[in-house]
Amino acid sequence: MGTGKRSSRLTEGLELLDDSLAVLTTAAILVTTAGCFCRWSWVMPADEGAGPYRTAARVHGLVVLLIVLGVAALVCVVRGYLAESGVPMYSAAALLALGGVFALGLYAPHDEADIVADGFGYEWYSTSVDGRFSFYNTTAAPITICLGISGDCDAGAKGPDRLRSPGLTIAPNHRLAIDTPKAKGDYRLTLVGAGFTHRDTILNLYVPDSNSGP
């Protein structure tokens, strides 16, 4: 009789654990998804900071997290099979989905221009209006970017506020971001100073299809 009661209590305890885990994983998915939309730093890298957008440490942390979530999901699958219950199976799927949201947060498209030793990496960049665009200075010296051409800032040029004369100065191995204006078009950008082969580039701002009018 005592053994039966203990077995019943153990079963009830495991079922309560199953239900609690299902609730927690659902809440975790909702919060993490909100973090992607709100660009919370623990879900998505910041637009500004030291080093590249996706640091080696951040990628390593994601790999470790995916392994842990994968093992936990496997345990839930075994638990669901033995208990013949769908709740642990749901938790397993939710854990895998949670890992997917974290991966999406790290590898979602990110508009950025890398500044290398000889200047801009490309002659033309494109991003949407009313958004964010980052510049990453990969060199060992500060660089200044402004609206203009051939290394000369154009004080009268229209464009992103942070790029207006005297321009945006970025420390070595750092990223800074600008808010793109609402007006679409091509904006000429230039690097101030000597030693750049690819000094000039164009930042093209477009209106996404979903926001375009009739």
Side-chain angles (χ1 to χ4, degrees):
M1 191 69 175
T3 303
K5 287 183 177 180
R6 284 195 296 271
S7 178
S8 177
R9 289 175 181 174
L10 177 61
T11 301
E12 291 176 356
L14 290 174
E15 290 177 350
L16 178 60
L17 181 62
D18 292 339
D19 294 339
S20 299
L21 182 59
V23 172
L24 288 174
T25 52
T26 301
I29 291 174
L30 294 176
V31 172
T32 308
T33 302
C36 284
F37 283 103
C38 298
R39 300 195 64 89
W40 293 339
S41 60
W42 57 274
V43 180
M44 301 184 71
D47 289 326
E48 300 187 339
Y53 181 71
R54 298 181 187 92
T55 63
R58 190 124 195 177
V59 173
H60 179 265
L62 175 63
V63 171
V64 172
L65 177 63
L66 292 179
I67 292 174
V68 171
L69 292 177
V71 171
L74 180 60
V75 171
C76 288
V77 169
V78 173
R79 161 65 185 160
Y81 176 78
L82 295 177
E84 298 182 349
S85 172
V87 177
M89 296 295 189
Y90 167 82
S91 297
L95 287 168
L96 295 178
L98 181 61
V101 174
F102 272 106
L104 176 63
L106 183 60
Y107 287 98
H110 172 69
D111 294 330
E112 182 177 273
D114 288 352
I115 314 301
V116 294
D118 61 350
F120 288 105
Y122 295 95
E123 296 179 356
W124 183 84
Y125 297 90
S126 185
T127 189
S128 63
V129 299
D130 201 20
R132 296 276 285 177
F133 188 85
S134 297
F135 296 92
Y136 175 35
N137 179 12
T138 69
T139 72
I143 57 99
T144 298
I145 309 170
C146 67
L147 295 164
I149 190 171
S150 300
D152 296 323
C153 297
D154 184 354
K158 295 182 179 180
D161 290 340
R162 295 189 80 179
L163 297 179
R164 291 180 178 177
S165 182
L168 176 67
T169 299
I170 308 174
N173 194 36
H174 275 72
R175 290 171 289 111
L176 289 180
I178 61 170
D179 293 317
T180 58
K182 296 181 179 180
K184 66 178 181 179
D186 292 337
Y187 297 88
R188 292 185 175 276
L189 309 183
T190 190
L191 290 167
V192 179
F196 298 111
T197 305
H198 302 96
R199 180 186 302 279
D200 299 320
T201 192
I202 292 176
L203 180 61
N204 169 259
L205 300 186
Y206 66 88
V207 179
D209 292 338
S210 59
N211 295 332
S212 58

